[in-house]
Amino acid sequence: MSDRYQFDVIEKKWQEYWAANNLFKTTEEAGLEKYYLLEMFPYPSGKLHMGHVRNYSIGDVVMRYMKMRGYNVLHPMGWDAFGLPAENAAIQNGIHPFVWTQDNMEEMKVQLKRLGIAYDWDREVATCKPDYYKWTQWIFVQFFKHGLAYKKKNPVNWCPSCETVLANEQVVDGLCERCSTVVGKKDLDQWYLKITDYAERLLSGLEGLPGWPEKVKLMQKNWIGRSVGAEVDFPIEGSDKKLRIFTTRPDTLFGVTFMVLAPEHPYVAELVEGTGQGAAVDEFMHRLQYLSDIDRASTTLEKEGVFTGKYVINPLSGTKAPIFIANYVLMDYGSGAIMAVPAHDQRDFDFAKKYGLDIVPVIEPENPEIDLDRLEEAFISDGKMINSGKFSGLPNREGIARITEFIEKEGIGKKSINFRLRDWLISRQRYWGTPIPMIYCSECGWNPEKEENLPVLLPTDVKFTGKGESPLTTSKSFEDAKCPVCGRSAKRETDTMDTFLDSSWYFLRFCDSQNEAEAFSKDNAKYWMAVDQYIGGVEHAILHLMYARFFTKFLYDIGSCSVDEPFTNLLTQGMVLKDGRKMSKSIGNVVPPDVILKKYGADTARLFILFASPPEKELEWSDAGVEGSYRFLNRVYRLAAELAEAVAGAPGSYAAVTGADKEMDYMMNYAIKKVSNDISTRFSFNTAISAIMELVNEMYKYKERADRSEGLVKKALDSLILLLSPFTPHICEEMWQMAGHSGCVYKAEWPAYDESALVMDVTEIVIQINGKVKERIMASSGLDRDGLAEAALSDPKVKALLEGKKVERHVAVPGKLVNFVIRA
RNA sequence: GCCGAAGUGGCGGAAUUGGUAGACGCACAGGACUUAAAAUCCUGCGAUCCGUGAGGUUCGUACCGGUUCGAUCCCGGUCUUCGGCACCA
């Protein structure tokens, strides 16, 4: 034991103690209330960054607090270990991705232990290991068996630099999320998961998640993008075919003046045939082909199109409308065709203006200043229906329902709901991912590998060129397989899965990570799920969190999992900034955690990160602030060292007698209440720490008193150590021992506060005149409204201020203030 | 463009239900200790004006207005910053 705070010695000592006693191991204890706490597992890049330190420090406070509150806390950690960087390392340095990843996992595990985070490492998982990806494959097979996995040839997003397919989600502003290359299109046979079958439930399930930030739920809601409207069939003139469209505005059906198809629409060739428009259409299509996705998707791109030469008949009004092809209609939403109502849709309006098409208003604005005959822009608000046959005169909102009813009755169309959400493209032309366990037989088609043959192992005899097709095709033996149905020789799928599949169920594997017979036992999953608190970066608000919800709902449906929402409460932590900007290598403002750990230790790093900002906000890194946190821990340590010896034989109880005792007693109980409340209900760690600092300040004052109560000093010191221990566990273990306790603080009980100590004899009351603070008086705590006013009026200064003024009335709030309202 | 969040001292932030704005910390300044420095301890620290002083005045939570005895908090409008979506019919 030393008088000086030697963080390096202390931290090493206690980390070894925790490990040697296997303190963080968790089992399924039937008698205890469970608490499943999870931080998003990292990609093993090799080194922790400050964002990780923040994420895991936040989690560890909750872990240690809940543990002290008596919960059986599951707090596991693992590795999202498949992904591109490992493969790039293989290409550049010739290191096998497995070796590179394994080294990184080991290095990062050492760093996590160095931070003192209380994880049950016995449950560690790595998604790149066969004992894990075997079950990722198994889940994929279940998807296939339930008709939710299918293969489709489609123009896909293709990154020419990474030479791989990207999901829509991985294309940001038309650029590859990873390398920022302009994304192109390529026709490929790809595996998809039918997440759209779950669109409705993914949306409605959000309402059952009050513990999620509104912001995240809103982002998911927008991403799913539910639109209610109608499908309507328009007969094509001179053909027995009908053109099906989707609209959210059936109330504007009488205003249709033309139709527009997506360029990829299957009817295009047939429609154009024999109309003389062939050359014009060809020319238009040719031009579109050379537009990059980024231009094609741009809203500033001028709307362009070409007439097909054919017309439809409006099934409601009987009028003729020309069919166009245009660049602003998307093939993969709705039916790839729209009815155009230029008077009431801005895009249709722009197009009509450019090509001189009719604009027929069918909704009348309430505002008389809008002249429907000279529209400058589309009128998109509500109004009364006009020019709409027997529906004229209705408010348009009502018209939507009435027209939908009518077309259903007439067999022209029906109510329909469309989602912005698309099916999930999961094929990747990459090596370092879970092999898709599918086999193609020329007789039987695509079938999954037999479950008893899983996992389909990644081959090791592959070449990493970084070019062309999946590296799995370079293996000599991988592709050769037997058809699981007929036994003939067949070919394996050589693409691997999007790594988001791996991370969509890891929280379930943690419930039972060593299970060799199944992905996880139902019983264990039932015991632990759902995750009570999930913590991670807001960058995963949409993709990861939605995919994990999708997997959980599916596993619930097939009876594997007892809950259909995986995460009850979600905390999205803010970024760590330096000089107002995200820490990044290219800016050169990165503060590496190991440098801070070496100089100040883990406790200081954790304390600073938790104190500097509330967890959901951005955190501005400050070297001076770290220094301050370090000073505080030194101050606490000196206090403990001084008091521990002094109070070694102090009584276990105390009576607060003098005013100073009462203040000390109040401060201690206030701190216990505040810290408990801040951790458990608000995750407000910064204010919890400030309350602890106030307690320390008070203790420094109190200990100087000659008449101090030794029993109170002892109680205050114990409370201080316990309150601080979730934030800075190592120094607290050391001080706990110094204070004469034999067990470790991790297993100690969280302190309780005494409500009666929080009631003071006198309270400061603010006296206001017309809402402005004029005086403060000390009044007995129990005073009611009248008593307060009386006390205020008897104060000489208040008397003087009110002299000669007419008090109209007063407002008194017990325990807070009195406000006198006087005439000006 | 649409949707959402935020704006408080020199800085990070606090004020939990409409009731003392600026807790706690950083930085800074002055002082104590020291031969000196570091460390530590003490004091001050939104602006303004009045006063030698004790103390007091007025303004102040992005801006303009409203509700209220009382507004950082509620309502309407404006500006700025950040985030999400972006031709989704």
Side-chain angles (χ1 to χ4, degrees):
Chain A
M1 208 180 293
S2 159
D3 285 349
R4 204 167 57 80
Y5 170 43
Q6 292 177 288
F7 65 84
D8 45 354
V9 176
I10 292 172
E11 292 182 358
K12 185 160 182 283
K13 168 180 165 186
W14 290 100
Q15 281 163 14
E16 281 168 3
Y17 177 87
W18 295 329
N21 290 277
N22 212 3
L23 276 191
F24 307 140
K25 186 171 172 61
T26 318
T27 54
E28 291 72 26
E29 305 268 350
L32 288 175
E33 200 171 336
K34 72 95 182 178
Y35 189 85
Y36 188 175
L37 168 68
L38 184 65
E39 295 107 54
M40 291 180 184
F41 66 165
Y43 177 78
S45 58
K47 280 210 162 25
L48 290 184
H49 55 65
M50 279 301 174
H52 292 127
V53 176
R54 188 177 195 194
N55 194 170
Y56 307 138
S57 297
I58 291 168
D60 206 41
V61 174
V62 180
M63 159 62 175
R64 290 171 184 273
Y65 172 79
M66 293 306 284
K67 178 77 187 169
M68 289 171 84
R69 283 319 272 267
Y71 287 85
N72 190 29
V73 187
L74 174 57
H75 191 216
M77 187 37 73
W79 313 99
D80 188 14
F82 274 136
L84 218 42
E87 201 161 333
N88 290 339
I91 294 162
Q92 282 158 23
N93 310 324
I95 308 166
H96 192 276
F98 181 79
V99 174
W100 186 87
T101 305
Q102 184 69 37
D103 287 351
N104 286 348
M105 292 190 299
E106 274 161 28
E107 201 176 329
M108 285 172 82
K109 189 169 170 178
V110 167
Q111 292 178 301
L112 285 173
K113 288 185 171 177
R114 179 71 193 80
L115 267 176
I117 315 286
Y119 290 127
D120 178 359
W121 284 107
D122 288 353
R123 291 175 186 259
E124 179 179 4
V125 302
T127 60
C128 67
K129 294 192 174 169
D131 64 352
Y132 184 90
Y133 72 67
K134 170 179 182 176
W135 302 111
T136 309
Q137 292 175 340
W138 179 83
I139 294 170
F140 180 88
V141 171
Q142 306 314 306
F143 272 118
F144 182 82
K145 287 183 172 170
H146 287 82
L148 292 167
Y150 63 95
K151 199 162 201 194
K152 190 173 78 172
K153 192 173 206 114
N154 231 8
V156 295
N157 303 309
W158 176 262
C159 174
S161 165
C162 303
E163 300 210 3
T164 190
V165 166
L166 300 172
N168 285 334
E169 296 79 64
Q170 290 163 332
V171 181
V172 179
D173 294 330
L175 306 177
C176 173
E177 179 187 54
R178 221 167 248 293
C179 69
S180 294
T181 307
V182 175
V183 172
K185 287 277 176 193
K186 194 168 181 179
D187 261 337
L188 276 180
D189 251 343
Q190 304 282 302
W191 286 101
Y192 289 82
L193 288 184
K194 248 189 201 170
I195 192 172
T196 52
D197 273 15
Y198 280 75
E200 195 76 62
R201 283 168 66 195
L202 287 168
L203 183 66
S204 61
L206 293 172
E207 279 164 36
L209 297 172
W212 279 41
E214 287 304 318
K215 177 174 125 176
V216 172
K217 287 192 278 188
L218 195 69
M219 280 161 73
Q220 292 214 351
K221 193 178 163 189
N222 291 339
W223 190 262
I224 296 167
R226 183 180 192 265
S227 300
V228 182
E231 282 173 4
V232 186
D233 291 325
F234 283 67
I236 297 167
E237 193 186 48
S239 158
D240 49 4
K241 284 203 165 172
K242 290 179 175 176
L243 191 57
R244 172 162 293 182
I245 58 92
F246 171 75
T247 180
T248 52
R249 296 291 304 274
D251 55 321
T252 62
L253 258 163
F254 284 85
V256 173
T257 58
F258 59 101
M259 306 292 281
V260 193
L261 304 185
E264 302 86 359
H265 197 282
Y267 282 14
V268 169
E270 196 180 326
L271 284 172
V272 173
E273 211 180 317
T275 59
Q277 286 294 98
V281 170
D282 280 351
E283 192 268 336
F284 176 71
M285 302 288 256
H286 187 71
R287 218 150 26 89
L288 263 192
Q289 250 187 347
Y290 285 94
L291 270 184
S292 69
D293 245 36
I294 193 170
D295 296 328
R296 176 86 194 270
S298 159
T299 34
T300 54
L301 179 71
E302 192 171 4
K303 291 169 185 41
E304 271 191 286
V306 59
F307 180 43
T308 58
K310 290 271 175 56
Y311 296 83
V312 294
I313 307 296
N314 187 320
L316 249 61
S317 65
T319 53
K320 253 172 67 166
I323 307 172
F324 282 76
I325 301 164
N327 57 357
Y328 73 98
V329 176
L330 306 170
M331 190 57 226
D332 56 358
Y333 183 77
S335 62
I338 62 159
M339 63 178 214
V341 185
H344 305 294
D345 181 282
Q346 191 57 41
R347 294 154 303 181
D348 300 345
F349 184 89
D350 295 342
F351 193 81
K353 280 283 178 195
K354 179 166 168 129
Y355 293 100
L357 298 160
D358 291 345
I359 298 174
V360 177
V362 290
I363 309 287
E364 188 175 60
E366 266 175 47
N367 180 355
E369 282 171 32
I370 298 174
D371 181 357
L372 284 178
D373 296 329
R374 297 159 185 276
L375 283 173
E376 299 280 319
E377 54 178 11
F379 172 71
I380 54 169
S381 309
D382 290 335
K384 191 183 277 181
M385 293 172 67
I386 53 169
N387 303 329
S388 298
K390 64 174 182 172
F391 299 100
S392 296
L394 285 175
N396 73 305
R397 292 272 152 192
E398 202 182 321
I400 292 176
R402 295 281 296 278
I403 289 189
T404 306
E405 246 167 64
F406 180 77
I407 58 173
E408 274 188 1
K409 207 173 68 191
E410 298 293 314
I412 301 165
K414 60 174 187 191
K415 182 177 171 181
S416 167
I417 295 168
N418 256 289
F419 294 92
R420 217 193 67 110
L421 184 71
R422 308 294 149 89
D423 277 343
W424 177 10
L425 194 171
I426 59 123
S427 296
R428 298 291 181 272
Q429 289 65 50
R430 281 288 161 188
Y431 172 76
W432 197 229
T434 303
I436 298 171
M438 298 297 293
I439 295 171
Y440 184 77
C441 163
S442 53
E443 295 295 315
C444 310
W446 283 105
N447 280 291
E449 177 60 273
K450 289 179 182 163
E451 287 180 24
E452 62 265 30
N453 292 339
L454 296 179
V456 174
L457 289 169
L458 271 174
T460 47
D461 59 336
V462 298
K463 290 194 184 75
F464 298 103
T465 60
K467 302 283 169 208
E469 293 184 281
S470 167
L472 298 197
T473 57
T474 66
S475 164
K476 285 194 180 73
S477 56
F478 181 77
E479 276 192 87
D480 301 333
K482 284 224 174 340
C483 172
V485 178
C486 70
R488 283 196 191 82
S489 70
K491 291 232 170 228
R492 269 188 209 290
E493 171 65 61
T494 54
D495 286 351
T496 52
M497 296 182 201
D498 180 0
T499 56
F500 271 115
L501 278 92
D502 308 316
S503 55
S504 292
W505 72 283
Y506 76 109
F507 42 90
L508 285 160
R509 184 68 180 169
F510 277 139
C511 298
D512 194 13
S513 69
Q514 307 305 314
N515 196 329
E516 291 179 10
E518 44 189 346
F520 48 89
S521 88
K522 263 187 219 176
D523 286 348
N524 280 20
K526 191 171 179 184
Y527 180 87
W528 290 115
M529 289 297 285
V531 173
D532 293 278
Q533 183 66 56
Y534 197 30
I535 308 171
V538 74
E539 67 274 17
H540 292 112
I542 299 177
L543 300 185
H544 163 60
L545 289 168
M546 186 131 64
Y547 293 149
R549 294 181 61 222
F550 168 48
F551 265 53
T552 305
K553 284 181 190 301
F554 171 69
L555 292 167
Y556 171 84
D557 288 351
I558 65 169
S560 293
C561 176
S562 58
V563 297
D564 84 329
E565 283 290 345
F567 314 121
T568 308
N569 294 292
L570 173 69
L571 176 71
T572 50
Q573 110 220 3
M575 277 194 306
V576 182
L577 309 179
K578 179 85 197 290
D579 308 320
R581 296 204 284 173
K582 186 179 177 173
M583 284 188 186
S584 112
K585 268 186 214 157
S586 57
I587 302 172
N589 60 350
V590 176
V591 180
D594 46 355
V595 171
I596 301 298
L597 291 186
K598 191 151 193 251
K599 191 164 174 197
Y600 300 101
D603 283 337
T604 294
R606 293 168 55 134
L607 185 71
F608 167 72
I609 273 190
L610 294 163
F611 179 60
S613 182
E616 68 279 4
K617 269 193 71 170
E618 292 177 335
L619 182 150
E620 174 67 35
W621 185 264
S622 152
D623 290 331
V626 178
E627 195 76 43
S629 292
Y630 182 62
R631 268 205 303 264
F632 172 73
L633 288 182
N634 273 286
R635 188 167 149 83
V636 171
Y637 189 87
R638 282 195 308 273
L639 184 70
E642 179 187 337
L643 295 182
E645 284 172 50
V647 300
S653 63
Y654 65 94
V657 185
T658 66
D661 290 347
K662 284 185 181 161
E663 267 173 51
M664 184 66 250
D665 197 31
Y666 174 89
M667 194 61 233
M668 178 182 79
N669 282 284
Y670 169 79
I672 296 172
K673 183 176 182 176
K674 171 102 180 134
V675 174
S676 308
N677 198 32
D678 281 354
I679 296 179
S680 61
T681 67
R682 304 204 301 153
F683 292 124
S684 183
F685 306 126
N686 53 333
T687 53
I689 292 166
S690 80
I692 295 172
M693 288 171 167
E694 286 179 275
L695 173 60
V696 170
N697 291 343
E698 182 64 32
M699 286 172 72
Y700 261 93
K701 256 193 260 170
Y702 182 71
K703 79 177 168 66
E704 295 307 319
R705 294 188 67 94
D707 61 348
R708 76 184 193 191
S709 150
E710 297 305 291
L712 179 53
V713 168
K714 182 175 162 55
K715 177 78 191 319
L717 179 63
D718 283 354
S719 300
L720 167 65
I721 297 168
L722 292 167
L723 292 181
L724 192 57
S725 69
F727 304 93
T728 57
H730 312 87
I731 189 176
C732 289
E733 290 285 10
E734 184 71 14
M735 295 189 300
W736 192 242
Q737 195 179 56
M738 284 156 60
H741 299 278
S742 52
C744 75
V745 77
Y746 170 77
K747 294 178 106 175
E749 204 177 311
W750 188 255
Y753 60 90
D754 174 8
E755 194 70 61
S756 69
L758 294 171
V759 181
M760 298 298 273
D761 298 342
V762 289
T763 317
E764 190 183 67
I765 298 295
V766 163
I767 300 170
Q768 301 178 331
I769 294 177
N770 288 347
K772 293 198 166 157
V773 180
K774 292 292 173 186
E775 181 60 321
R776 293 153 214 266
I777 60 169
M778 297 309 290
S780 309
S781 292
L783 284 184
D784 62 5
R785 289 191 164 77
D786 293 340
L788 270 184
E790 216 176 293
L793 283 170
S794 65
D795 180 81
K797 186 174 169 194
V798 175
K799 257 188 205 159
L801 283 166
L802 292 177
E803 183 73 48
K805 304 275 175 22
K806 177 157 166 38
V807 176
E808 284 189 348
R809 65 190 186 105
H810 68 265
V811 182
V813 182
K816 303 245 166 164
L817 56 77
V818 183
N819 185 18
F820 293 101
V821 184
I822 63 173
R823 202 166 286 166

